[in-house]
């Protein structure tokens, strides 16, 4: 494996790091908001360039030895390409919405897009990892950037609190993960995923079981699955809304992709060992996410619980441990990213007459009487999150449950789908507040055109028109998921 | 005509009109909605006129594999045809009945038009998942209709409606996934002929039952219905009673019975007991209501119980009766809600005691109300009689007990309906404001008039409505034959008498002479 070949394979990460470093340098000279805006646009362009670089990989369904770079530490396969496309799209959206939000507070800094670029690079490494150490490096690169982003509004107490909480709990999780990695290494003698799978073929020793449990616990923290979800509502609420948009979308994709790689590749020969853990986490996330959301009055906290709830449904696809399940998860993730970005962009668009952000549920009472289109978009997102057909959110749940049923996990599917009715209650509550209650006339401010365009795009994607994409999306997801099952 | 995708067009017309209604102001929205529903009615009439009775079982079939897991497959048999006719017939009337709606008219009309698309879609879908999507999607517009334009307690009612029906349907989703996995197809006609293992059938049946029983609604999961009916605006009640409840019955006749015959026979007694309790209990509850809409809502539950016993009688009379009860109830309950709406628009109360002696100042109204009351009771000559009689004949062959108990429903029905009629239309004009109400205007007269005409038509010559469905019901009956439970009537063949023998050659001779 010559170096040129390796460098060619890591081209997206290479582009991201070079662009990130140059922009970081440039930001030292940035004086005003306009400069920061230019850097933001350049960052978006970088992400678009990376996306162009990974598309052929996904299209060709690349897998196997020719995708391995640096002596098998990194793999540029179709699965990673699928996840990266989602990550780039989500990160791009979080960049686009940021300037309008921060500039009003006078707090926009060109470091924001640069940090996002570094986080995205970390995520790219995560989903391309073929090795426990590559995994850890990617995860930490992403996390360190994310901690800073959470505390980006330095003068705001809530933002600082969110950053600190995220940092303390995130470090704890990283510690747990590292401990799991060391145990796994100790009992299998390798940190290479394929090697671990081979070593575990014969059976799982007690030590390796502990390693597996700790690795999964560390990853569960990153995807905010129950019982490692406690940080999510606080961080989502405290962090500036564009950052929350980012947290709820891109890192979720990366962490879930990573969880899939670790479970299905590294521990792919010991499915029965981790399946009960995943089933528990799935059902607990669905129920806790749904019950926790009922009492929430803050929209961002509500969406945080909604994301916990959604992770539960995604894990049902993982529990199936089949190519269909993995493909279903990827389809669900795509739709989830669109719904989440739509949801948070809608929250960003809620402003009072002076342009201050409105985040309380009570403040959007009767929204449908003065912001018809915005209310209709939020209602669509809510019904879609609840999984009510004909909105596209239903399709995500459909493919995941289909995979679970095909894998014979019928009780899991039945309990999971019955619990989704609890979730429907609070999604309905948002619709009820907007449509049935007397207008509070609070959220009357005008919104930025970029926000409107993004929301329109997300709404179009989750509208019934999205079903026309099912064939293409399903085929791509199946190509990507197949990579995980090529032993 | 053969290649014209009439069903897709029928789905598309209200959908396009719904979008248009959102963009224009109130008056134009009313016009657009009325025109769109009338176009759909004309298309429906064309559908009926071109339906080839005795031809292929599935007609007007369209199939485009648009999606990854399922396809855009439409097609109807006689049963679906009749229910589609019911929907497209009631829709223009609903639009006319919405005259008193004055807030957010465009959105209101859009919700109704969307509802129409989804209702037709449910009855025309030939793909399992397409059916599910249409079936579930109906929750969204109905939730909004009840919640935005409903009465005082509308929010509670809208939640109850949504969550009850959603909880019922999600398990059906899992059952459908299992079935498709097992049978390898999403095509409803194929699945109707597929034999699932008996043990699996039972679980599948229960999952479908959970959904349809809530939709129907059967006792004891009927409690969402009175709330939803009372709080919904008049047209919303008409659609709920007229069409949405029929989706439950349609579900049984299209899915539960043909797909799981053995399980249906196994659980028939569960259905019978729930239905018997429903007939008696909800009729008694209806007797003591003070709210007109609530009374009619409870009477709907009782009528739907007759539908369920008829379905699980496993014979042709029961099935045909069931279909006629469904059609008849759709018209009659819809018309009764319209009657309530007419006086509610004038006095803004549904309290029965606030009215009285309306036959004096509203004679035309009293006549129509009388007609629909009688049809609801099941007076011969009206549609109610035909259906209930057939359904009870059907069930009598299976169990005299069930027929007896359900028969009391007719007596109790006469009790609460006539009592209602007496309190509203007869007696003294004790309330001055009620006595001052003007009689029906032309719009209301025509709304009730056309329904009345169809109710009489169905009562006098039900063959028009039975003919398209006959072959389909016979096919269903043949499919059910293997699981049919034995009746409790112990018929003992008598000794043939000597005179009978002499008849036979004569009869044979007569046959030959023709």
């Amino acid at each position: 494996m010559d170096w040129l070949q390796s460098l060619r394979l890591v081209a997206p990460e290479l582009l991201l790091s070079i662009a990130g470093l140059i922009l970081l340098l440039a930001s030292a000279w940035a004086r005003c908001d306009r400069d920061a805006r230019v850097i933001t646009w350049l960052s978006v362009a970088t992400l678009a360039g990376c996306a162009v670089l990974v598309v052929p990989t996904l299209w060709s369904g690349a897998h196997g030895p020719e995708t391995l770079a640096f002596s098998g530490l990194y793999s540029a396969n179709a699965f990673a390409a699928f996840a990266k496309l989602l990550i780039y799209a989500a990160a791009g959206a979080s960049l686009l919405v940021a300037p309008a939000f921060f500039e009003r507070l006078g707090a926009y800094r060109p470091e924001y897009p640069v940090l996002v670029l570094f986080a995205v690079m970390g995520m790219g490494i995560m989903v391309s990892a073929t090795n426990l150490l590559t995994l850890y490096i990617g995860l930490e690169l992403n996390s360190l950037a994310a901690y800073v982003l959470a505390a980006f509004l330095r003068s705001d107490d809530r933002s600082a609190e969110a950053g600190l909480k995220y940092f303390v709990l995130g470090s704890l999780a990283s510690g747990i993960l590292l401990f799991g990695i060391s145990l796994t290494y100790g009992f299998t003698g390798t940190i290479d995923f394929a090697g671990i799978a081979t070593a575990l073929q014969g059976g799982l020793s007690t030590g390796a079981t502990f390693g597996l449990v700790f690795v999964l616990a560390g990853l569960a923290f990153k995807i905010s699955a129950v019982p490692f979800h406690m940080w999510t509502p606080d961080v989502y609420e405290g962090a500036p809304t564009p950052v929350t948009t980012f947290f709820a979308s891109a890192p979720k994709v990366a962490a879930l992709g990573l969880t899939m790689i670790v479970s299905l590749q590294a521990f792919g020969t010991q499915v029965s060992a981790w399946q009960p853990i995943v089933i528990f986490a799935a059902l607990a996330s669905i129920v806790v996410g749904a019950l926790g959301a009922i009492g929430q009055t803050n929209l961002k906290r509500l969406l945080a619980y909604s994301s916990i709830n959604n992770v539960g449904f995604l894990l049902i696809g993982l529990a199936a441990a089949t190519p269909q399940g993995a493909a279903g998860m990827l389809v669900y993730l795509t739709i989830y990213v669109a719904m989440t970005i739509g949801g948070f962009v809608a929250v960003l668009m809620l402003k009072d007459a002076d342009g201050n952000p409105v985040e309380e549920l009570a403040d959007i009472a009767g929204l449908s009487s003065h912001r018809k289109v915005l209310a209709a978009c939020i209602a669509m997102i809510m019904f879609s999150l609840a999984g009510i057909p004909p909105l596209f959110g239903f399709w995500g749940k459909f493919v995941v449950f289909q995979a679970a049923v095909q894998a014979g996990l019928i009780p899991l599917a039945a309990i999971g789908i019955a619990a989704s009715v609890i979730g429907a209650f609070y999604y309905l509550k948002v619709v009820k507040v907007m449509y049935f209650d007397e207008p509070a006339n609070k959220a009357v401010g005008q919104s930025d055109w970029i926000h409107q365009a993004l929301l329109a795009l997300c709404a179009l994607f989750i509208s019934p028109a999205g079903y026309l994409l099912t064939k293409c999306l399903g085929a791509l997801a199946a190509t990507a998921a197949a990579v995980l099952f090529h032993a | 005509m053969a290649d014209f995708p009439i069903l897709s067009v029928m789905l598309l017309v209200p959908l396009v009109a719904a979008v248009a209604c959102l963009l224009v102001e109130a008056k134009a929205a009313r016009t657009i909605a009325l025109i769109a529903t009338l176009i759909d009615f004309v298309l429906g009439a064309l559908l009926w006129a071109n339906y080839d009775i005795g031809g292929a079982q599935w007609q007007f079939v369209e199939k485009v594999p648009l999606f990854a897991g399922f396809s855009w497959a439409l097609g109807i048999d006689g049963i679906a045809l009749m229910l589609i006719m019911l929907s497209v017939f009631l829709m223009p009337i609903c639009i006319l009945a919405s005259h008193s709606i004055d807030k957010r008219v465009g959105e209101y009309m859009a919700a109704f038009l969307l509802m129409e698309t989804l209702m037709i879609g449910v009855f025309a879908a030939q793909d399992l998942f397409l059916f599910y999507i249409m079936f579930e999607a109906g929750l969204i517009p109905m939730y909004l209709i009840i919640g935005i334009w409903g009465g005082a307690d509308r929010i509670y009612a809208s939640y109850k409606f949504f969550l009850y029906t959603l909880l019922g349907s999600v398990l059906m989703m899992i059952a459908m996934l299992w079935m498709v996995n097992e049978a390898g197809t999403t095509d409803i006609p194929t699945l109707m002929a597929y034999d699932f293992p008996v043990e699996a059938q039972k679980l599948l049946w229960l999952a479908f039952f959970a959904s349809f029983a809530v939709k129907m609604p059967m006792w004891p999961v009927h409690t969402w219905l009175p709330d939803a009916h009372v709080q919904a605006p008049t047209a919303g009640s008409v659609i709920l009673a007229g069409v949405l409840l029929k989706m439950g019955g349609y579900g049984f006749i299209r899915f539960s019975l043909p797909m799981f015959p053995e399980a249906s026979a196994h659980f028939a007694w569960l259905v019978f007991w729930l239905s018997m309790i429903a007939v008696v209990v909800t009729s008694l509850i209806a007797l003591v209501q003070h709210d007109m809409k609530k009374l009619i809502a409870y009477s709907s539950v009782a009528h739907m119980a007759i539908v369920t016993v008829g379905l699980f009688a496993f014979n042709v009379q029961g099935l045909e009766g069931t279909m006629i009860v469904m059609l008849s109830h759709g018209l009659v309950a819809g018309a009764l809600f319209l009657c309530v709406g007419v006086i509610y628009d004038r006095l803004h109360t549904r309290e029965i005691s606030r009215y009285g002696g309306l036959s004096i100042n509203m004679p035309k109204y009293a006549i129509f109300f009388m007609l629909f009351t009688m049809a609801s009771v099941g007076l011969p000559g009206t549609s109610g009689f035909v259906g209930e009689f057939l359904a009870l004949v059907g069930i009598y062959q299976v169990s005299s007990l069930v027929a007896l108990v359900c028969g009391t429903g007719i007596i109790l029905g006469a009790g609460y309906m006539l009592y209602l009629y007496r309190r509203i239309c007869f007696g003294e004009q004790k309330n001055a404001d009620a006595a001052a109400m003007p009689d029906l205007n032309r719009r209301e007269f025509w709304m009730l008039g056309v329904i009345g005409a169809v109710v009489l038509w169905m009562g006098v010559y039900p063959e028009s409505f039975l003919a398209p469905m006959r072959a389909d019901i016979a096919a269903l009956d043949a499919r059910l034959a293997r699981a049919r439970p034995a009746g409790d009537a112990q018929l003992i063949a008598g000794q043939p008498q000597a005179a009978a023998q002499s008849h036979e050659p004569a009869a044979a001779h007569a046959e030959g002479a023709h």
Side-chain angles (χ1 to χ4, degrees):
Chain A
M1 179 64 59
D2 61 297
W3 281 93
L4 268 181
Q5 172 76 354
S6 291
L7 287 177
R8 195 180 58 75
L9 287 169
V10 297
E13 275 70 38
L14 218 51
L15 175 59
L16 276 172
S17 42
I18 293 171
L21 289 171
I22 292 174
L23 290 176
L24 186 62
L25 211 58
S27 66
W29 279 275
R31 292 271 166 76
C32 53
D33 285 345
R34 203 177 60 83
D35 296 348
R37 257 182 199 260
V38 171
I39 290 181
T40 309
W41 282 103
L42 286 174
S43 305
V44 174
T46 309
L47 289 172
C50 294
V52 171
L53 286 176
V54 297
V55 164
T57 321
L58 176 59
W59 209 253
S60 63
H63 63 89
E66 67 272 20
T67 62
L68 294 175
F70 303 118
S71 321
L73 285 171
Y74 172 103
S75 168
N77 55 38
F79 176 80
F82 192 100
K84 279 178 197 172
L85 280 179
L86 276 183
I87 292 167
Y88 298 153
S94 331
L95 283 177
L96 288 174
V97 297
F101 177 87
F102 287 112
E103 277 170 12
R104 208 191 52 78
L105 302 169
Y108 199 50
R109 304 274 176 279
E111 285 85 359
Y112 177 83
V114 176
L115 281 169
V116 169
L117 285 189
F118 286 139
V120 168
M121 188 173 86
M123 291 183 242
I125 295 176
M126 280 161 79
V127 293
S128 284
T130 53
N131 182 298
L132 286 171
L133 279 186
T134 322
L135 172 164
Y136 190 74
I137 291 169
L139 195 68
E140 282 306 287
L141 181 54
N142 163 38
S143 300
L144 283 174
Y147 302 145
V148 185
L149 283 172
F152 203 77
L153 278 181
R154 278 174 301 182
S155 49
D156 182 32
D157 286 349
R158 285 197 310 167
S159 177
E161 182 195 326
L164 191 62
K165 264 187 187 157
Y166 197 21
F167 174 65
V168 172
L169 289 169
S171 324
L172 180 68
S174 295
I176 294 173
L177 180 68
L178 209 51
F179 190 46
I181 290 177
S182 66
L183 280 172
T184 311
Y185 174 58
F187 283 88
T188 57
T190 173
I191 48 172
D192 182 57
F193 289 162
I196 294 172
T198 321
L200 294 179
Q201 232 153 20
L204 204 61
S205 63
T206 316
T209 313
F210 271 92
L212 164 68
V213 171
F214 279 114
V215 168
L216 281 184
L219 292 174
F221 176 89
K222 297 292 173 191
I223 60 174
S224 65
V226 175
F228 302 99
H229 64 288
M230 330 61 108
W231 59 277
T232 319
D234 290 344
V235 172
Y236 279 25
E237 185 194 1
T241 314
V243 177
T244 315
T245 315
F246 180 63
F247 283 175
S249 51
K252 275 268 161 68
V253 177
L256 269 161
L258 189 57
T259 313
M260 287 164 76
I261 298 173
V262 171
S263 315
L264 297 170
Q265 282 197 321
F267 297 101
T269 45
Q270 288 295 336
V271 171
S272 55
W274 54 260
Q275 209 175 24
I277 303 177
V278 171
I279 289 178
F280 167 77
L283 290 180
S285 302
I286 293 174
V287 172
V288 171
L291 291 178
I294 290 175
Q296 300 306 325
T297 55
N298 182 291
L299 278 171
K300 281 162 78 180
R301 283 186 87 85
L302 192 135
L303 285 170
Y305 276 104
S306 153
S307 86
I308 297 173
N309 182 259
N310 274 294
V311 164
F313 290 113
L314 280 157
L315 288 180
I316 285 183
L318 182 60
T322 55
Q324 289 86 353
M329 282 180 82
L330 290 177
V331 171
Y332 195 126
L333 263 176
T334 313
I335 299 168
Y336 166 76
V337 164
M339 295 191 294
T340 306
I341 291 179
F344 281 107
V345 169
V347 172
L348 275 170
M349 289 170 70
L350 297 168
K351 293 176 196 160
D352 65 12
D354 304 328
N356 297 314
V358 170
E359 290 176 7
E360 292 299 311
L361 192 55
D363 294 339
I364 62 165
L367 189 71
S368 63
S369 60
H370 48 275
R371 300 287 306 268
K372 274 196 174 105
V373 179
L374 179 59
C377 286
I378 298 180
M380 262 176 72
I381 291 168
M382 289 300 148
F383 281 124
S384 180
L385 281 167
I388 310 292
L391 296 164
F392 208 28
F394 167 73
W395 185 250
K397 291 208 169 63
F398 177 88
V399 285
V400 169
F401 281 112
Q402 191 173 32
V405 169
Q406 280 171 351
L409 299 171
I410 293 163
L412 170 68
I415 298 172
I417 206 160
S420 76
V421 178
I422 311 173
F425 175 75
Y426 67 83
Y427 295 123
L428 280 185
K429 191 163 123 186
V430 178
V431 177
K432 171 229 152 199
V433 168
M434 290 189 306
Y435 277 85
F436 304 168
D437 287 359
E438 288 305 311
N441 283 325
K442 193 122 186 235
V444 290
Q446 284 309 308
S447 37
D448 205 60
W449 70 268
I450 297 182
H451 294 181
Q452 290 174 356
L454 268 177
L455 183 62
L457 205 65
C458 292
L460 185 69
F461 183 75
I462 61 167
S463 75
Y467 282 85
L468 298 174
L469 297 174
T470 49
K471 259 189 181 163
C472 153
L473 191 59
L476 287 180
T479 316
V483 172
L484 298 178
F485 292 85
H486 284 294
Chain B
M1 193 71 212
D3 293 329
F4 182 66
I6 186 164
L7 288 171
S8 291
V9 173
M10 283 179 80
L11 291 176
L12 202 62
V13 168
L15 198 62
V16 171
V19 176
C21 280
L22 285 176
L23 303 175
V24 299
E25 36 77 68
K27 204 162 176 317
R30 284 182 206 278
T31 321
I32 291 175
L34 188 62
I35 292 175
T37 49
L38 283 174
I39 291 177
D40 247 27
F41 176 65
V42 171
L43 287 170
L46 277 176
L47 199 66
W48 194 0
N50 284 286
Y51 184 83
D52 178 16
I53 297 173
Q57 186 184 2
W58 302 98
Q59 302 187 15
F60 307 101
V61 176
E62 297 169 32
K63 188 161 185 161
V64 187
L66 266 183
F67 315 108
F70 59 101
S71 57
W72 180 258
L74 301 175
I76 53 166
D77 63 353
I79 295 168
L81 171 74
M82 281 297 124
L83 289 167
I84 289 177
M85 281 312 297
L86 179 69
S87 317
V88 295
F89 176 71
L90 285 176
M91 273 315 288
I93 296 174
C94 283
I95 302 293
L96 282 177
S98 306
H99 220 69
S100 57
I101 299 286
D102 47 12
K103 71 170 180 179
R104 302 199 196 173
V105 178
E107 295 166 40
Y108 176 89
M109 294 300 167
F112 265 90
L113 290 165
L114 182 61
M115 201 70 224
E116 177 169 25
T117 300
L118 297 172
M119 290 184 310
I120 299 173
V122 163
F123 297 131
Q126 270 205 320
D127 185 286
L128 203 57
F129 294 127
L130 192 63
F131 168 83
Y132 183 81
I133 288 176
M134 300 282 189
F135 189 78
E136 281 289 276
L139 293 182
I140 298 177
M142 206 60 212
Y143 172 72
L144 296 176
I145 288 170
I146 298 174
I148 300 179
W149 298 279
D153 205 11
R154 59 187 198 272
I155 290 168
Y156 172 73
S158 61
Y159 269 108
K160 203 168 174 182
F161 164 76
F162 196 102
L163 294 177
Y164 246 80
T165 23
L166 182 64
L167 185 61
S169 331
V170 288
L171 288 176
M172 180 168 81
M173 174 81 224
I174 298 294
M176 284 180 170
L177 287 171
W178 191 88
M179 285 161 64
V180 170
N181 195 29
E182 165 88 8
T185 176
T186 55
D187 187 44
I188 289 176
T190 316
L191 286 167
M192 283 168 73
Y194 189 89
D195 295 319
F196 291 99
V198 175
E199 280 312 306
Q201 272 190 27
K202 288 182 186 165
L203 288 175
L204 295 173
W205 189 91
L206 285 174
F208 276 77
F209 180 71
S211 175
F212 299 142
V214 170
K215 205 88 175 178
M216 192 93 193
M218 289 176 73
W219 186 90
V221 286
H222 66 283
T223 58
W224 64 270
L225 183 74
D227 286 313
H229 265 325
V230 170
Q231 300 304 333
T234 303
S237 300
V238 174
I239 282 301
L240 254 176
V243 188
L244 289 195
L245 302 192
K246 307 303 169 289
M247 287 183 187
Y250 177 75
F252 278 125
I253 211 166
R254 176 69 75 236
F255 297 94
S256 301
L257 286 174
M259 292 183 192
F260 326 121
E262 280 84 10
S264 297
H266 182 79
F267 288 110
W269 274 99
L270 172 71
V271 174
F272 289 159
W273 274 107
L274 293 181
S275 305
M276 284 194 287
I277 295 172
V279 166
V280 177
V281 170
T282 53
S283 296
L284 290 176
I285 295 175
L287 260 177
V288 295
Q289 293 304 315
H290 303 291
D291 182 309
M292 286 186 279
K293 269 189 159 179
K294 232 173 190 160
L295 191 151
I296 300 169
Y298 278 109
S299 88
S300 291
V301 181
H303 279 110
M304 286 300 119
I306 306 269
V307 169
T308 42
V309 289
L311 282 171
F312 286 85
F314 280 74
N315 54 37
V316 172
Q317 287 88 342
L319 292 169
E320 287 190 345
T322 289
M323 283 309 298
I324 295 289
V325 173
M326 290 214 281
L327 297 176
S328 156
H329 177 264
L331 297 170
V332 173
L336 285 171
F337 279 117
L338 287 175
C339 287
V340 174
V342 164
I343 50 178
Y344 180 80
D345 284 349
R346 288 163 171 67
L347 215 55
H348 297 287
T349 175
R350 295 180 303 262
E351 273 302 299
I352 297 173
S353 55
R354 292 279 287 110
Y355 298 94
L358 292 190
S359 57
I360 298 168
N361 58 325
M362 300 176 75
K364 283 189 230 160
Y365 174 77
I367 289 174
F368 279 121
F369 196 14
M370 172 61 90
L371 171 66
F372 297 124
T373 300
M374 288 306 158
S376 176
V377 171
L379 189 78
T382 62
S383 56
F385 170 74
V386 182
E388 290 187 1
F389 181 76
L390 277 172
L392 289 175
V393 165
I395 194 60
Y396 187 64
Q397 296 174 26
V398 179
S399 164
S400 334
L401 173 71
V402 180
L404 181 74
V405 175
C406 293
T408 60
I410 296 185
I411 300 167
L412 289 168
Y416 60 73
M417 284 314 292
L418 292 176
Y419 185 43
L420 170 72
Y421 191 78
R422 195 201 75 79
R423 285 180 288 172
I424 300 240
C425 287
F426 293 157
E428 285 174 42
Q429 292 185 307
K430 53 182 187 281
N431 299 308
D433 46 0
M437 295 195 301
D439 204 354
L440 299 179
N441 61 28
R442 223 172 46 200
R443 176 178 62 87
E444 292 159 344
F445 183 86
W446 280 107
M447 266 163 34
L448 295 174
V450 287
I451 301 186
V454 179
V455 164
L456 289 175
W457 176 13
M458 202 186 286
V460 175
Y461 193 67
E463 179 61 17
S464 321
F465 302 90
L466 279 172
M469 301 191 288
R470 183 153 293 134
D472 302 305
I473 285 175
L476 179 58
D477 187 55
R479 167 100 178 133
L480 292 175
R482 61 181 174 160
R484 181 173 296 138
D488 66 347
Q490 306 295 321
L491 296 178
I492 299 165
Q495 291 297 321
Q497 291 175 1
Q501 276 176 343
S502 69
H503 273 292
E504 227 148 65
H509 183 73
E511 289 282 316
H514 276 286

